[in-house]
Structure formats: structure tokens, C-alpha cells
Amino acid sequence: MQKISFNEDRSAVWLAFLFIALALCLPLGIGNLLGWVLGVKVWTDPFTALAPLGKSFSSMPGWISLIATLAFIALLLLWERRRFPENKKAFLLALLIVLTLTMIGWVLGHAGIVAAVPNEREKLGLKWSMGLTGEAGYLAALFIGLIIGNFFTPFAKFLSQAARTEWFIKTAIVLVGAGVGLKGLEQANLAGTVFFRGLAAIVEAYLIYWALVYLLARKVFGFSREWAAPLASGISICGVSAAIATGAAIRARPVVPIMVSSLVVVFSVVELLVLPFLAHAIIPQEPMVAAAWMGLAVKTDGAAIASGAITEALYMAQGGFQKGWMLMTTTTVKIFIDLFIGVWCFILACVWVYGIDRKPGDKVSLKEVWDRFPKFVLGYFIAFALFIALGLCFPEKIKDLKESSTNLDAFRKFFFALAFFSIGLSADFKRLWQEGLGKLILVYVVCLFGFVIWIGLGISWLFFHGIMPPTGVTP
Amino acid sequence: MNNHPESEKLVDELQNQPYEPMVAAEIWLVSLSLITGISILIILALVLKN
């Protein structure tokens, strides 16, 4: 493999902004230039799993959308590396294989038996499922990478030229900014009471959970900073995106946040299966407290929203409440927490550059700070601010912006999946998982059951106690 | 099975994390976070109560 100096940070930002520019052609009235991008649904029949996301492309067969998505990403990545003296044909071949295998993992991870959460089972005609949500696609991509990395070493070496974990991660994180910005704007229009109380969730997740988990990981379990920071973000904020963004902001090796995130995805199933029923058992008269608790305690977006839906179903059966209020509360709390990932990463990046990586007596010039500062964090902010500004200035375009953001989210998820595949390919992750997992699980269990869910319950009680969803038939 | 030197290093790190004392920046980050977080929650709770 050739060693080439390639600035993945800057390239990721440019690449992500190219996606964003194309997506914004829709609200600008030019057309839905990314509407053909593949959306993968939770499936029981694989032929129904694939479909283009854009409504205007609904007649396009799923397989054409699949090929178009893979070809488009391949061409863009190839174009980004046009100035590097590698064998272009070999790179393109390796890239196409990496993209295809990741997509296979992503689609397999959406199989109903793996991904369907309890409230989806009836619709899909399933009696049982693992309930891992669509994020199981990350684990499936990781697993395929692992098999190749461990059993087909020469093939893994060939693929490794195109399996560029950091490039994929950073591109995905800039795209997260666009989606989060718009979601924040949508939530701002929701009921004021829920909105105000959602602010408490941000404070709790970032300023209390994060600090406690970090302190515990560092002082009690003896983890290094590189492990403790992504672990704290994974447990306290929102799983995959937060752990990966934090890892990149503090310049941790990519395998560290990927390992933390895979643990978070697995653990969110436990939370999803236990917490709604626990809430219903211990606080049967407080539906909104229970709903907010799900948003605070369940750590991946998919699992948190599914927990909110299960909670709502449990409480509606007893109280005749209007549908949607509890789910809205869970979603608002979760999205509020997600909104500040970029701010938190920015703070962490500054603390690491100024306070931790700087050697005693070093005077770091502004230029050096700029050089060392992760550019993708700024890319995230610009994307975040751009979508909020567009939504505020052109409220009539929110629907189009939402569709643009949905298209970008499909790319974001796929780039994360590519990162998981690349990690499986490049490291002996199986051994790492087997031998290093015990300690990580211990921190996770101690933090989650020791204080995260109980502080979450206490604060949800404090801020939502006595508030009831409207009763009667849903209008 | 292949044995990646990087993986060996990571496994070793996870099992026997080298002692890395908390530096001033980390202590400040954790302390400020906790103090600010608890204060904001108290203020928010008081505002809501009134």
C-alpha cells in the first residue's frame, strides 16, 4: 500500500459541502438532484427494502437507485483523490468492492429479524426480533469487514487502499450538522412547555453525565484520555455520532470510537427492552416523565424514539391520552441533546489543542491552533448554521429543506457504515472485542445503571412531573 | 488469523491502561461542567416552579 499524504480533514469538508450544495438545489428550485439516493427500510422481503428517497423518484426501481448511489459515491471519492499517484484502476476496483460490501452489510442490518423494534413487529408480521434498529447495519458492515480482515488477509490488504476510516467519518459528521440544524428548527416550533424542559436535557447530558462518566472512566477505571472521552460521549450523549465525533475532535485513533459505538448500539437494545416497561411499572401516573426519561436514558436515536413509541403505547392503553405527545417529548429531548454535539466537540477540540496536547512551556501560535484544529468540526457548524439560517429566512421552504436533509442523512448513514466496515477490515477487531470488551462493558454498566438512568428519571420527574398529555381522540 | 501490531497494542492498552494522570485542563473541564450543569438545573427548576 502506498503511503500518500492526503488531508482527509479538508477533503471530508469539501466532499460533504458538495453533497450539501447538490441537496440545496431542491429548496433553490433547481430540482431534487439527490432524490435518487437509496433509502433502506427495515424489511422482511429483501425486494421491498430498497427504494429511492425522493418522492419524485418513486417510480425508479430500488436496484437502479442502489447502483446510482454506489456509482455516485465512487466517482466523488475517486475525483477527490485525482491528484494522488496511486494506481487509479486498482483504487477504483477496491473502492467499488468496499462500497458494495458495506451496502450489503447495511441492507442485511435492516433485516426485520435483526432491526425491527417491538412496536414494528406486528406491521412486519414478526413474532420476535432482536430489536437492534437500522443501526444494526453498522454492526453488520463491521462484521463483514472483520471476516475479510481476519480470514482473507491479502484481499483485506488490497481493499485497505480504499478503506479510509477517518475520511468517511469526517465526511459523515459534517453531514450530521445539516440534519441536526433542521431538526432543531422544527422542534423550536413545538409546544413551549416541552421545548423549555428540553433545555434541561442538554444540561444534563453534556454537563452532568459527560463529566461524571469521564471522571469515572479516568479515575476509577484508569482509562486514558483517548478512550475516556469517546466513552463519555457514547454513554452520555447519543451513541454513534457523539462517540465518533468526539474521537475525531480529540484525534483519537478511529478504532477507539468505533469500538465504543458498537457497544452503545448493542446496549441500546437492553435499554429499549427494559426501560419503557420499568417506567410504566414505577411511574404509572406520569406519562410525560416516562417519555422524557426515554429521551434522556436511551442512547441511540433509533432506540430512543422506539422506546418513546413503546412507552406511549403502554400509557395510552391505560389513560386514553392523545397519540403523539409522549413520542414528541421523547423525540424533542433526544434531538435537543443531539443538537449540541458540534458545540461540545468544538469545546473538546479547543481543550485538547490548548490544554492537553500542548507541552508545558509551549507557545502555540494561532496558525498552529488553526492547523491542528479539526476542520470537520467547523464544517459541521457551517452546515448546522446554514440549514438553520435557510429555515429561518425561508420558512416556506422548510418542506424542501427537510427533503434535502433526508437525502443527506442517507449519505451520512452510509459513510458511517463505510467507517465501520473499514475498521473491521483494518484491525483485529474480533480479538480487541473479546479481550478488551470486559472493561468497557463494566464502565458502561456502572455508569448506565449506577447514575445515568436514575439521574435521568430524577430530572425528568423534576421537569415533567404533573404534566399530562391531552386526553381524548387524536385530532 | 492475522495479528495486527496495532491491535496487539490496543488490546494491551485496554487491559493495562498506562497511568495517565489527569491534567489541569481535564480537571477544569470536569469541575466547570458539573458546577455549571447543577447551577443551571437549579435555576431552570426554580423558574419553572414560579
Side-chain angles (χ1 to χ4, degrees):
Chain A
M1 202 179 85
Q2 298 169 62
K3 298 274 179 198
I4 307 159
S5 168
F6 176 58
N7 191 328
E8 279 158 341
D9 202 13
R10 282 182 196 162
S11 169
V13 174
W14 286 120
L15 200 57
F17 274 96
L18 184 62
F19 282 115
I20 290 171
L22 290 171
L24 286 179
C25 287
L26 177 61
L28 288 174
I30 298 170
N32 191 357
L33 300 190
L34 293 182
W36 44 264
V37 66
L38 182 71
V40 182
K41 289 178 274 191
V42 176
W43 54 271
T44 44
D45 171 7
F47 293 104
T48 61
L50 312 179
L53 281 175
K55 288 185 191 98
S56 50
F57 289 82
S58 55
S59 58
M60 178 189 273
W63 64 271
I64 293 185
S65 169
L66 169 73
I67 292 171
T69 305
L70 295 180
F72 181 69
I73 296 175
L75 285 175
L76 275 185
L77 295 180
L78 187 68
W79 176 75
E80 262 300 289
R81 292 194 61 84
R82 66 197 178 281
R83 278 174 270 131
F84 293 88
E86 61 209 346
N87 180 338
K88 293 287 184 300
K89 279 184 189 164
F91 176 78
L92 180 61
L93 181 63
L95 183 61
L96 286 173
I97 297 172
V98 166
L99 293 173
T100 307
L101 291 174
T102 303
M103 185 57 88
I104 290 171
W106 186 241
V107 175
L108 287 177
H110 280 74
I113 198 82
V114 179
V117 287
N119 57 319
E120 289 176 324
R121 284 178 197 150
E122 196 183 332
K123 195 175 77 184
L124 292 165
L126 292 167
K127 285 187 178 162
W128 180 87
S129 63
M130 291 163 75
L132 280 164
T133 74
E135 297 199 357
Y138 298 135
L139 301 185
L142 176 71
F143 187 67
I144 295 176
L146 273 173
I147 293 173
I148 297 170
N150 282 282
F151 298 108
F152 304 94
T153 316
F155 186 46
K157 275 190 180 160
F158 170 72
L159 294 184
S160 66
Q161 62 185 306
R164 295 182 167 267
T165 315
E166 291 203 39
W167 197 19
F168 301 145
I169 284 176
K170 289 171 180 174
T171 307
I173 290 171
V174 180
L175 296 177
V176 172
V180 168
L182 199 65
K183 279 182 193 166
L185 201 63
E186 283 178 335
Q187 299 300 312
N189 297 324
L190 289 176
T193 320
V194 175
F195 179 83
F196 185 65
R197 283 162 171 84
L199 291 174
I202 299 166
V203 173
E204 182 182 339
Y206 289 89
L207 299 179
I208 296 178
Y209 285 164
W210 196 95
L212 286 175
V213 177
Y214 186 82
L215 194 64
L216 202 77
R218 292 282 284 122
K219 296 293 276 186
V220 178
F221 291 93
F223 276 95
S224 63
R225 292 176 201 105
E226 189 189 21
W227 283 94
L231 195 58
S233 293
I235 298 175
S236 58
I237 306 174
C238 75
V240 178
S241 308
I244 292 178
T246 301
I250 66 159
R251 298 188 184 278
R253 286 158 295 178
V255 70
V256 173
I258 293 276
M259 192 156 165
V260 170
S261 350
S262 49
L263 185 72
V264 173
V265 172
V266 173
F267 257 87
S268 64
V269 184
V270 181
E271 298 169 73
L272 168 69
L273 295 177
V274 173
L275 289 186
F277 299 95
L278 181 65
H280 191 241
I282 62 174
I283 42 168
Q285 303 306 321
E286 294 289 350
M288 295 297 261
V289 174
W293 190 25
M294 296 307 116
L296 279 167
V298 183
K299 291 305 162 196
T300 67
D301 286 350
I305 290 163
S307 306
I310 296 169
T311 306
E312 184 164 78
L314 289 172
Y315 280 89
M316 276 181 68
Q318 77 176 48
F321 300 117
Q322 274 186 19
K323 198 177 176 190
W325 283 82
M326 283 172 259
L327 185 56
M328 179 195 77
T329 304
T330 307
T331 311
T332 305
V333 167
K334 193 81 194 87
I335 287 172
F336 263 61
I337 295 173
D338 292 357
L339 270 180
F340 281 76
I341 300 169
V343 178
W344 194 243
C345 286
F346 184 83
I347 294 171
L348 292 180
C350 291
V351 170
W352 254 252
V353 168
Y354 272 114
I356 293 174
D357 292 339
R358 190 174 64 167
K359 292 188 176 66
D362 266 9
K363 281 188 181 170
V364 182
S365 67
L366 275 179
K367 189 187 172 299
E368 221 171 306
V369 171
W370 170 250
D371 288 343
R372 283 159 65 175
F373 193 84
K375 308 295 176 297
F376 76 94
V377 176
L378 293 178
Y380 173 100
F381 267 123
I382 295 169
F384 176 77
L386 182 68
F387 270 74
I388 286 204
L390 287 172
L392 285 173
C393 297
F394 308 101
E396 73 283 2
K397 295 282 184 190
I398 291 242
K399 200 178 153 213
D400 288 344
L401 280 168
K402 199 175 169 186
E403 197 168 342
S404 308
S405 157
T406 307
N407 294 338
L408 288 174
D409 206 44
F411 286 110
R412 189 267 300 172
K413 287 176 182 167
F414 191 61
F415 272 88
F416 269 156
L418 281 168
F420 275 79
F421 175 84
S422 306
I423 282 292
L425 198 69
S426 65
D428 190 355
F429 198 86
K430 186 181 162 199
R431 184 159 170 249
L432 198 58
W433 181 257
Q434 284 170 340
E435 297 187 29
L437 195 65
K439 208 169 165 184
L440 285 175
I441 287 181
L442 193 61
V443 183
Y444 204 103
V445 169
V446 167
C447 293
L448 189 70
F449 295 102
F451 60 86
V452 167
I453 59 172
W454 306 120
I455 295 178
L457 178 58
I459 290 177
S460 302
W461 179 275
L462 190 66
F463 287 92
F464 287 88
H465 171 56
I467 300 175
M468 288 288 158
T471 50
V473 181
T474 306
Chain B
M1 298 284 282
N2 63 12
N3 284 315
H4 301 270
E6 182 64 15
S7 304
E8 292 290 329
K9 202 175 141 201
L10 279 163
V11 169
D12 184 54
E13 265 180 35
L14 267 175
Q15 289 179 334
N16 313 298
Q17 290 268 345
Y19 178 64
E20 201 179 56
M22 280 183 85
V23 297
E26 287 173 282
I27 297 167
W28 271 106
L29 179 68
V30 169
S31 315
L32 269 179
S33 297
L34 284 173
I35 293 166
T36 317
I38 293 166
S39 312
I40 295 175
L41 282 179
I42 292 170
I43 294 166
L44 280 176
L46 287 174
V47 169
L48 273 179
K49 207 176 170 185
N50 297 318

